[in-house]
């Protein structure tokens, strides 16, 4: 329908109708209810915070229930990402069952380097060190079977350590012999 100036419906939009007293009262009442609800929610949250966060124990298990010690330790290990170091520590405790009593009497695990995935083993004689070096590939396979693939890549075998060499009668205090001069 054309307007008085000849244009077709493209002029200024019509002004909204004036709000009557009843409409203003409804808007004010709605705003007051929302404010009261917000104040009530805030007061309820304060009360719950004072009583322990509003969480209540029920008949069913939840995260706040007491756990057996083994389960709590397992949960802590999992949360912190300590699975591999804990597993390798278990291997060090079960070393005789893994390698056998003969080898365990002469070869002892010393440390595990998680970044390089290297298990260091100390042997009490060069003969046992040689024997363990020959057994290393099978031992790595056995350990990875127990711990998970790729946990141990290399077994570093150390031979026996002897007493410090003492040359001559006279020695400087704290000296380690002729080798301590060269680093």
């Amino acid at each position: 329908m054309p307007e008085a100036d000849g244009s077709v419906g493209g002029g200024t939009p019509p002004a909204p109708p004036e709000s009557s007293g009843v409409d203003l009262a409804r808007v004010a009442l709605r705003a007051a209810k929302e404010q009261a609800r917000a104040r009530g929610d805030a007061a309820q949250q304060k009360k719950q915070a004072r009583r322990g966060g509003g969480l209540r124990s029920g008949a069913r298990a939840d995260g706040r229930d007491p756990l057996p010690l083994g389960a709590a330790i397992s949960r802590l290990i999992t949360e912190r990402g300590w699975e591999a170091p804990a597993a390798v520590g278990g291997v060090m405790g079960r070393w005789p069952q893994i390698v056998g009593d003969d080898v365990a009497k002469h070869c002892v695990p010393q440390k595990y380097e998680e970044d390089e995935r290297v298990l260091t083993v100390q042997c009490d004689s060069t003969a046992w060190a040689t024997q363990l070096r020959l057994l290393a590939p099978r031992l790595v396979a056995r350990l990875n079977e127990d711990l998970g693939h790729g946990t141990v890549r290399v077994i570093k075998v150390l031979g026996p350590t002897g007493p410090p060499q003492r040359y001559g009668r006279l020695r400087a205090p704290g000296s380690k012999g002729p080798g301590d001069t060269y680093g």
Side-chain angles (χ1 to χ4, degrees):
M1 182 177 237
E3 305 233 355
D5 62 354
S7 65
V8 180
T12 61
E18 291 287 323
S19 298
S20 66
V22 173
D23 292 332
L24 290 175
R26 283 187 185 134
V27 169
L29 178 63
R30 187 177 310 123
K33 283 183 177 179
E34 288 175 9
Q35 289 175 352
R37 188 175 302 120
R39 281 194 309 267
D41 288 346
Q44 183 67 23
Q45 288 174 352
K46 278 185 183 177
K47 251 190 223 178
Q48 288 177 347
R50 275 186 259 137
R51 287 187 292 184
L55 298 174
R56 295 184 179 184
S57 182
R60 292 179 180 81
D62 62 10
R64 299 173 301 127
D65 288 342
L67 295 172
L69 183 61
I73 289 174
S74 297
R75 185 166 142 190
L76 179 69
I77 287 172
T78 303
E79 287 174 357
R80 302 282 171 103
W82 294 339
E83 288 93 357
V88 172
V91 163
M92 291 187 180
R94 295 180 296 128
W95 185 251
Q97 289 94 15
I98 293 172
V99 298
D101 290 331
D102 284 344
V103 176
K105 287 178 191 173
H106 301 284
C107 303
V108 179
Q110 295 294 315
K111 64 180 176 178
Y112 174 71
E113 297 168 20
E114 187 177 1
D115 299 333
E116 292 86 26
R117 299 177 187 238
V118 175
L119 179 65
T120 304
V121 179
Q122 177 83 46
C123 296
D124 64 357
S125 71
T126 54
W128 277 105
T130 303
Q131 182 69 23
L132 194 63
R133 283 186 190 103
L134 294 172
L135 290 173
R138 280 191 272 162
L139 191 55
V140 167
R142 170 78 169 93
L143 289 170
N144 284 330
E145 181 183 303
D146 230 21
L147 304 173
H149 183 67
T151 305
V152 178
R153 284 189 12 229
V154 176
I155 293 181
K156 183 178 174 182
V157 180
L158 303 177
T161 57
Q165 295 181 347
R166 301 189 182 259
Y167 296 102
R169 284 181 330 156
L170 303 174
R171 296 179 38 83
S175 171
K176 296 178 183 168
D180 72 349
T181 307
Y182 303 105

